[in-house]
């Protein structure tokens, strides 16, 4: 119970994602992260220790500064390219509860927007702007084709993010693909 409670506290801490992305491209000290997040260093030690314990960030370097050892942190190992965070393999297996909760929170956010859009659409004959879209498709593919399709989706989204950002909004793509004829187990 205590483990689940601590996991949920960590997941609901808005600093977690900010810390992960802060140290994605450049290793940073707690002080540098705090400056970037406009927060106090002392308020980051707990989430950073939890992220270290779960191996979501790593100490990439240690430097002696006077009598102190300054640690530099990175989350680069989580990212397959510039923007795609990969939650799979041994890391996902070791931190199953965290990742499942993270996924559920992300999906719930999208579902809440979709629900709101649908409720507002009842009041209008023409929907002006949607904030969430749900789509589902099934395709017969080999395992290699399935992997390639997922990679192509990620490349397409990444290539769009490199274009002109005039009049753009941030969109989150949560893409879950799975083998349809496999029975889900509890």
């Amino acid at each position: 119970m205590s483990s689940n409670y601590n996991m949920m506290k960590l997941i609901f801490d808005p600093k977690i994602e900010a810390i992960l992305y802060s140290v994605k491209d450049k290793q940073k000290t707690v002080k540098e992260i705090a400056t970037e997040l406009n927060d106090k260093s002392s308020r980051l030690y707990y989430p950073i220790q939890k992220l270290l314990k779960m191996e979501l960030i790593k100490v990439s370097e240690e430097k002696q500064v006077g009598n102190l050892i300054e640690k530099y942190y990175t989350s680069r190992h989580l990212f397959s390219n510039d923007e795609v965070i990969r939650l799979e393999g041994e890391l996902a297996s070791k931190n199953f509860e965290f990742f499942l909760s993270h996924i559920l929170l992300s999906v719930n956010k999208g579902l809440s927007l979709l629900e709101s859009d649908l409720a507002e659409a009842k009041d209008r004959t023409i929907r002006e702007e949607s904030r969430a879209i749900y789509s589902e498709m099934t395709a017969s593919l080999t395992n290699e084709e399935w992997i390639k399709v997922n990679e192509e989706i990620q490349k397409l989204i990444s290539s769009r993010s490199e274009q002109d950002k005039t009049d753009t909004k941030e969109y989150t793509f949560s893409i879950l693909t799975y083998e349809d004829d496999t029975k889900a187990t509890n």
Side-chain angles (χ1 to χ4, degrees):
M1 176 94 175
S2 177
S3 172
N4 289 338
Y5 175 73
N6 289 335
M7 184 74 68
M8 292 309 289
K9 275 183 20 183
L10 181 65
I11 291 164
F12 286 108
D13 186 339
K15 293 177 192 147
I16 295 300
E17 187 173 12
I19 292 168
L20 288 174
Y21 279 92
S22 172
V23 296
K24 175 179 72 91
D25 294 321
K26 181 182 175 196
Q27 63 181 12
K28 295 177 185 160
T29 64
V30 172
K31 184 177 179 180
E32 291 171 324
I33 298 167
T35 300
E36 182 179 325
L37 301 182
N38 198 24
D39 206 343
K40 295 178 182 178
S41 297
S42 61
R43 294 176 51 130
L44 297 181
Y45 285 107
Y46 175 77
I48 285 175
Q49 290 307 309
K50 290 294 184 182
L51 288 167
L52 281 168
K53 183 177 180 182
M54 297 174 72
E55 298 177 13
L56 298 176
I57 62 172
K58 294 181 178 182
V59 175
S60 56
E61 186 177 353
E62 293 183 359
K63 290 183 182 177
Q64 184 80 34
V65 179
N67 293 333
L68 301 173
I69 295 177
E70 203 166 54
K71 293 181 180 180
Y72 289 79
Y73 301 96
T74 184
S75 64
R76 186 76 226 141
H77 63 288
L78 295 178
F79 295 85
S80 62
N81 62 37
D82 289 340
E83 296 300 325
V84 178
I85 190 166
R86 297 195 74 111
L87 308 177
E88 62 187 13
E90 184 180 343
L91 182 66
S93 179
K94 288 169 62 175
N95 297 290
F96 174 75
E97 289 178 356
F98 172 82
F99 290 129
L100 183 59
S101 297
H102 177 79
I103 291 165
L104 291 173
L105 287 171
S106 180
V107 169
N108 189 50
K109 189 176 185 181
L111 290 175
S112 293
L113 286 173
L114 183 60
E115 178 184 35
S116 176
D117 282 353
L118 294 172
E120 290 174 16
K122 289 179 185 177
D123 299 333
R124 294 195 271 283
T125 54
I126 300 173
R127 177 74 185 135
E128 294 174 14
E129 184 177 328
S130 293
R131 296 172 296 160
I133 298 172
Y134 170 79
S135 59
E136 184 174 306
M137 299 177 67
T138 302
S140 295
L141 305 168
T142 65
N143 187 265
E144 292 78 19
E145 290 171 325
W146 173 64
I147 291 169
K148 183 73 171 162
V149 167
N150 281 279
E151 290 171 350
E152 291 298 319
I153 292 168
Q154 292 171 6
K155 284 180 191 174
L156 178 63
I157 295 168
S158 294
S159 71
R160 291 289 308 146
S161 66
E162 296 168 4
Q163 297 179 7
D164 181 21
K165 299 212 184 256
T166 306
D167 296 327
T168 63
K169 297 178 184 177
E170 292 290 319
Y171 292 92
T172 297
F173 290 82
S174 297
I175 301 168
L176 169 66
T177 63
Y178 56 91
E179 186 176 335
D180 196 28
D181 57 347
T182 301
K183 301 289 184 206
T185 59
N186 292 337

